[in-house]
Structures are given as C-alpha cells and as structure tokens.
C-alpha cells in the first residue's frame, strides 16, 4: 500500500534518483529509493541500526552499469519508522518480510542482492527464506554465514588502530557506556572507530559521519535476535544454484577466513581478495571493486 511518492530531481551530489517512496510493511513503514533502469539489484546496507544514505553512491555507480538499483532503510532506521522498537517488532524474520514486501510492491520476479557487512547477513537469511527470488548474490565485506566472526571482531578492530587511537576510542566508549550520549561524545567515538574500517585513513571522516547515525536501540535488538535464533546458515545452501560473488579486503576487520567460509557455503561462488583494502572496497580500491562487480553481473 502506497503512502507517498516523491520524484527526486536532485539528491545532493549523488545525481538523479528515479523514485523515493514509503510503503507499509506489516507494522512498519518502509522507505526506499531507486536509481537507474534495467535488471533490479537490491542493496542491503550494513549496521545493524544504520540508514541507507551512505549507499546511494554505490547504488548510483551500479546504476551506471545499466541496472535498476534499490536502497532502503531497514525497519526502525532512517525514514523507515516503527512505533516503540522492541524485541517483538525488530527481528530477522520481520526484516526479511520487509524485503519480500518491497519486492512484491515493485513487482519484481527475480532480483540480485548486494549485501554489505550486516547486509550480507541479512542477504543470507533472506536467501534461506526466498531463494527462488534471487538471480545473483554479492557479499561485500560481509558478516559471516554464522556468528563466529563476532569472536574475533574486537581484536581485529584494535589491530587496525594505533595505541593512541585505541586509547581515545576506549575513553569515548566508556563515556557513552556510562550514559553520555552527547553529540560530542558520539562524534568523537565515531572519529576514532572509523579509522579501523579503512586502509586509507584519509577516508575515515566519511565513515565517521556514518557512524554517528547509528540507532543503538535497533542495533542491540537485531544482535539480540541473531543470538536468539542461533543464526547459522552454513549448511543450508548446498543446493543453491545461483552465482555468488564474495568481495573481501585483506585489511578488513572481517577476516579472510570468514569470506572463505561464505564462499565455501555457496557452491557457485567466486571469492576476490583485495590488497590494501579495509571494510569499504569502494573507498580503498574503487576501480577494482566496481570492475569486479560489473564483470560478475554481466557474465
């Protein structure tokens, strides 16, 4: 059911978007934006608890390859609203229903799914529920097909920071944990945390801005639900026939071993490891990153 339809004439520096719309999805309102025209690709951003604003650039770049790209705010984030977020209305199953409701609304029979970071976890879970709707899958610096990656995440994050950066991050993290949610504390925490996510530290300001936008309530509820459902899809795709691309930076806080496990889980997969690259391939290795996706999608 449509609520509003707004044609976008200009989206900041990002260029022309086709539509921005909010639909009803169960007990939430789901906002999405499309770019370009052609075969559809759904882009699921990372988080959890993040909006999709930072992925408009990726959507535009993929749209230049003659695809229709779709970004959306996951329930409870950005412009996708829900009353009183709690452990009953923020779940992986409901978030999967949101994706499927969006597909039906757009009258798409099959689409490709691009999942970055937590978006890869979301894409994996969606693929267990609706494999028949998927043309191709792309995992970009994805969380794992299970929760094993969470056991080493903090260590790898710390290894990507200098001692001074770690000390500063710990200081502002303690302030936030003690209840200080001031703009300054959130911004300073994000400033130092962002440096762990990129190989080229000059790109960290872009990520820091994104990190200030996280909805910590939604973040906690999604992680709680992943633990509750014992998220583990590592044995569920032996019969999955569609092509899969796994893109992984060697300097990411996500390990190469996690990317290898994803590739092993999906029979028809290709793994590309990127040198001198952190969590955001389009920042650290732009040309190789998009050329790899273009080749995969057009093969």
């Amino acid at each position: 059911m449509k609520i509003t339809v707004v044609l976008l004439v200009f989206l900041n520096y990002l260029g022309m978007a086709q539509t921005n719309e909010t639909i009803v999805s169960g007990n939430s309102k789901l906002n999405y934006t499309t770019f370009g025209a052609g075969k559809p690709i759904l882009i699921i951003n990372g988080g959890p608890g993040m909006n999709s604003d930072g992925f408009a650039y990726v959507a535009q770049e993929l749209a230049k390859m003659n695809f229709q790209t779709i970004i959306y705010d996951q329930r409870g984030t950005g412009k996708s609203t829900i009353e009183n977020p709690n452990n009953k209305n923020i779940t992986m199953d409901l978030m999967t229903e949101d994706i499927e409701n969006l597909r039906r609304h757009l009258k798409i029979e099959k689409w490709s799914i691009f999942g970055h970071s937590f978006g890869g976890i979301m894409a994996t879970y969606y693929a267990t529920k609706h494999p028949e709707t998927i043309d191709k899958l792309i995992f970009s610096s994805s969380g794992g097909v299970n929760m094993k990656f969470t056991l080493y995440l903090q260590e790898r994050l710390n290894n990507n920071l200098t001692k001074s950066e770690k000390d500063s991050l710990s200081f502002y993290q303690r302030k936030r944990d003690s209840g200080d949610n001031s703009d300054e504390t959130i911004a300073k925490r994000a400033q130092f945390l962002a440096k762990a996510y990129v190989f080229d530290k000059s790109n960290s300001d872009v990520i820091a801005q994104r990190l200030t936008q996280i909805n910590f309530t939604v973040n906690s509820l999604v992680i709680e639900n992943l633990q509750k459902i014992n998220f583990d899809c590592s044995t569920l795709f032996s019969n999955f026939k569609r092509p899969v691309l796994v893109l992984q930076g060697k300097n990411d806080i996500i390990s190469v071993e996690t990317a290898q496990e994803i590739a092993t889980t999906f029979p028809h997969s290709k793994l590309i490891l990127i040198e001198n690259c952190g969590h955001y391939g389009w920042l650290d290795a732009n040309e190789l990153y998009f050329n790899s996706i273009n080749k995969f999608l057009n093969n």
Side-chain angles (χ1 to χ4, degrees):
M1 174 181 175
K2 291 185 180 181
I3 297 178
T4 60
V5 179
V6 181
L7 294 178
L8 300 182
V9 295
F10 191 74
L11 188 58
N12 296 327
Y13 60 90
L14 297 169
M16 192 68 70
Q18 191 175 50
T19 60
N20 174 260
E21 185 175 355
T22 300
I23 64 171
V24 170
S25 178
N27 55 8
S28 72
K29 295 176 182 177
L30 199 70
N31 184 267
Y32 74 92
T33 303
T34 69
F35 299 82
K39 288 185 177 181
I41 302 174
L42 177 71
I43 297 172
I44 310 178
N45 61 269
M50 300 291 289
N51 62 45
S52 63
D53 290 353
F55 284 75
Y57 168 73
V58 176
Q60 187 189 46
E61 290 302 299
L62 298 186
K64 290 176 183 177
M65 302 173 192
N66 299 316
F67 292 93
Q68 180 195 45
T69 54
I70 306 145
I71 58 175
Y72 76 104
D73 290 339
Q74 295 159 24
R75 61 169 47 206
T77 71
K79 296 176 183 176
S80 292
T81 57
I82 189 167
E83 283 191 35
N84 183 31
N86 57 62
N87 60 12
K88 302 296 183 186
N89 57 30
I90 302 289
T91 69
M92 291 293 289
D93 283 324
L94 289 175
M95 292 167 75
T96 298
E97 285 184 22
D98 289 340
I99 295 174
E100 186 60 3
N101 287 339
L102 179 56
R103 183 187 68 84
R104 290 170 180 161
H105 169 76
L106 292 171
K107 296 180 173 59
I108 292 171
E109 182 178 352
K110 281 183 179 288
W111 52 6
S112 293
I113 306 286
F114 170 108
H116 178 80
S117 195
F118 167 71
I121 294 176
M122 196 72 247
T124 301
Y125 198 66
Y126 176 80
T128 67
K129 305 291 185 180
H130 303 283
E132 74 286 349
T133 70
I134 295 173
D135 185 20
K136 295 182 179 182
L137 272 176
I138 300 173
F139 293 96
S140 167
S141 300
S142 175
V145 289
N146 50 46
M147 298 299 284
K148 288 191 296 185
F149 75 98
T150 61
L151 300 177
Y152 67 70
L153 209 57
Q154 188 62 52
E155 180 182 0
R156 286 186 64 88
L157 190 150
N158 288 336
N159 289 342
N160 280 358
L161 298 174
T162 66
K163 184 180 185 304
S164 174
E165 290 165 349
K166 281 188 287 188
D167 290 344
S168 297
L169 175 59
S170 296
F171 174 76
Y172 288 106
Q173 183 64 52
R174 287 194 300 271
K175 291 189 71 171
R176 201 191 73 79
D177 291 343
S178 67
D180 180 355
N181 289 312
S182 65
D183 289 345
E184 179 185 4
T185 293
I186 291 173
K188 287 291 188 180
R189 173 187 175 274
Q191 175 187 335
F192 293 105
L193 179 58
K195 295 180 184 297
Y197 285 89
V198 288
F199 180 81
D200 181 351
K201 303 296 184 181
S202 68
N203 290 320
S204 65
D205 287 347
V206 176
I207 305 308
Q209 180 60 34
R210 284 282 292 159
L211 291 172
T212 63
Q213 300 168 353
I214 189 168
N215 184 317
F216 288 105
T217 298
V218 173
N219 176 275
S220 297
L221 289 169
V222 173
I223 293 171
E224 175 188 330
N225 188 250
L226 284 166
Q227 293 168 341
K228 180 180 179 180
I229 65 176
N230 191 26
F231 175 77
D232 187 349
C233 302
S234 55
T235 62
L236 301 182
F237 292 102
S238 58
N239 295 319
F240 190 80
K241 305 297 185 185
R242 305 310 303 161
V244 174
L245 176 65
V246 183
L247 292 166
Q248 182 63 46
K250 288 188 175 181
N251 307 93
D252 193 1
I253 60 170
I254 303 291
S255 73
V256 166
E257 288 74 23
T258 292
Q260 290 170 333
E261 184 176 23
I262 296 171
T264 300
T265 297
F266 291 89
H268 304 282
S269 65
K270 179 178 182 180
L271 171 62
I272 296 179
L273 301 177
I274 307 175
E275 300 281 354
N276 300 327
C277 182
H279 198 57
Y280 296 90
W282 61 91
L283 293 179
D284 283 329
N286 185 283
E287 185 175 353
L288 174 59
Y289 184 83
F290 284 115
N291 284 346
S292 298
I293 294 174
N294 193 7
K295 183 176 179 181
F296 171 73
L297 290 174
N298 286 295
N299 189 348

